[in-house]
Amino acid sequence: MAHGLSPSSSFDQVFALCKRVFFWWKGIVKTHLGLKAFQPFNGVLAVGSSLSFLLALACAYSFLSPRVQQQADVAASYGPPVPNSSVVTDCNLFEGSWIQDQGYIPLYNSSLCPFAERGFNCLANGRKDQGYLRWRWKPKGCTIPSFNARRVLEKLRGKRIVFVGDSLSRTQWESLVCMLMTGVDDKRNVYEVNGNKITKRIRFLGVRFSSYNLRVDFYRSVFLVQTGSVPKRAPKRVKSTLKLDKMDDISNEWIDSDVLIFNSGHWWTPSKLFEM
């Protein structure tokens, strides 16, 4: 809450001041008009009192008006941001489509990245065609600049990026790590913090880019919330429960991240979560 005068309190002060000046003026006029000895002076006194009253109002307004405007500006600064037409771009990166581009160069080679899981390396597993590597995202109305691994690494220097979710999150994590590795000269400076290999069941994986003091981590948490035991007398088809009001018990590991990416939607479908 901003300190000082609010617009409503400033108005109350103006009103109170006007009220006091009005009764003061009224008392003077009534007193002097009631004295017959001063009848020749009554008209002049009445006009002078009226001018004094108007002058007091003008002074009050000039004193309080800037403060009211100042407080209104402060209050507005706590509201939702107003877009600046000179800054906001017309391009919506999320509106577009995937297009095939035969000249598109894949951002990394899965066979050369030690953090790409073998099961998702299509070429290494015998796939002959490479057309699936030539798709790129094309926003409507603009073009995304080519990915520059070194530039991105510099932008992320000293940061921590965390992916949380299921196997889809893990493959996104793998892809980002492999993309960033193309900008590192000495690959020995990139390693999994616990020396773990990429597997489907491990709950935590973290890759450190020591030259950039950068961490890219993955936590397996398919529902993002805590799981509970089966209630008594529950149907046999019930295998576990979800505590919707409690985050996963490993959520305290995410709080110091600079970028946090969640993915859990696939697990909330009826076939995965419950039977309708």
Side-chain angles (χ1 to χ4, degrees), residues 3-264:
H3 295 286
L5 291 175
S6 65
S8 59
S9 63
S10 298
F11 176 80
D12 293 340
Q13 290 190 19
V14 173
F15 180 77
L17 179 60
C18 293
K19 188 176 179 181
R20 290 197 299 269
V21 173
F22 174 76
F23 283 108
W24 168 78
W25 165 75
K26 182 178 179 181
I28 291 178
V29 172
K30 183 176 180 180
T31 300
H32 287 281
L33 288 179
L35 297 176
K36 294 182 179 180
F38 291 94
Q39 285 182 356
F41 186 65
N42 284 342
V44 176
L45 182 61
V47 173
S49 300
S50 299
L51 292 176
S52 300
F53 174 67
L54 295 176
L55 180 61
L57 285 181
C59 292
Y61 177 79
S62 63
F63 174 73
L64 292 175
S65 178
R67 302 184 68 179
V68 171
Q69 181 61 41
Q70 181 183 9
Q71 293 301 322
D73 294 340
V74 172
S77 67
Y78 284 87
V82 179
N84 186 339
S85 58
S86 63
V87 176
V88 177
T89 177
D90 295 331
C91 178
N92 182 0
L93 296 177
F94 301 98
E95 182 180 354
S97 59
W98 288 97
I99 63 172
Q100 274 196 319
D101 184 353
Q102 296 303 318
Y104 179 71
I105 301 176
L107 298 178
Y108 66 92
N109 186 334
S110 298
S111 299
L112 299 179
C113 180
F115 302 102
E117 190 176 345
R118 172 79 183 194
F120 294 99
N121 189 344
C122 297
L123 291 177
N125 289 326
R127 183 165 180 168
K128 302 299 182 182
D129 68 287
Q130 298 185 20
Y132 69 97
L133 297 174
R134 308 298 178 182
W135 289 88
R136 66 179 178 87
W137 177 254
K138 176 65 174 67
K140 184 179 179 181
C142 65
T143 301
I144 298 178
S146 300
F147 182 82
N148 187 317
R150 293 183 185 274
R151 186 175 181 182
V152 174
L153 284 167
E154 286 294 341
K155 293 287 186 180
L156 296 177
R157 184 181 290 275
K159 305 295 185 182
R160 182 178 182 230
I161 302 175
V162 175
F163 288 82
V164 180
D166 54 11
S167 59
L168 180 58
S169 288
R170 192 185 69 253
T171 54
Q172 292 174 345
W173 168 82
E174 292 176 17
S175 294
L176 179 59
V177 170
C178 292
M179 289 164 61
L180 293 176
M181 281 198 68
T182 62
V184 178
D185 294 326
D186 189 350
K187 302 298 189 288
R188 294 174 298 179
N189 290 329
V190 184
Y191 53 88
E192 206 285 324
V193 293
N194 294 320
N196 293 319
K197 294 183 178 181
I198 312 303
T199 66
K200 296 180 179 180
R201 299 186 180 277
I202 196 167
R203 196 169 193 195
F204 167 75
L205 290 164
V207 170
R208 176 176 171 81
F209 293 76
S210 58
S211 299
Y212 295 90
N213 190 26
L214 168 66
R215 278 275 298 272
V216 185
D217 296 341
F218 164 73
Y219 289 90
R220 179 177 173 81
S221 177
V222 297
F223 289 112
L224 307 182
V225 295
Q226 292 185 19
T227 58
S229 58
V230 179
K232 295 181 179 179
R233 296 182 293 277
K236 291 184 179 180
R237 62 185 177 86
V238 177
K239 304 301 181 183
S240 63
T241 56
L242 295 178
K243 302 176 182 180
L244 301 182
D245 59 341
K246 294 184 178 180
M247 291 292 292
D248 197 320
D249 55 6
I250 59 172
S251 61
N252 62 325
E253 300 290 337
W254 317 333
I255 58 177
D256 65 340
S257 60
D258 296 288
V259 181
L260 187 56
I261 303 103
F262 287 116
N263 174 61
S264 179

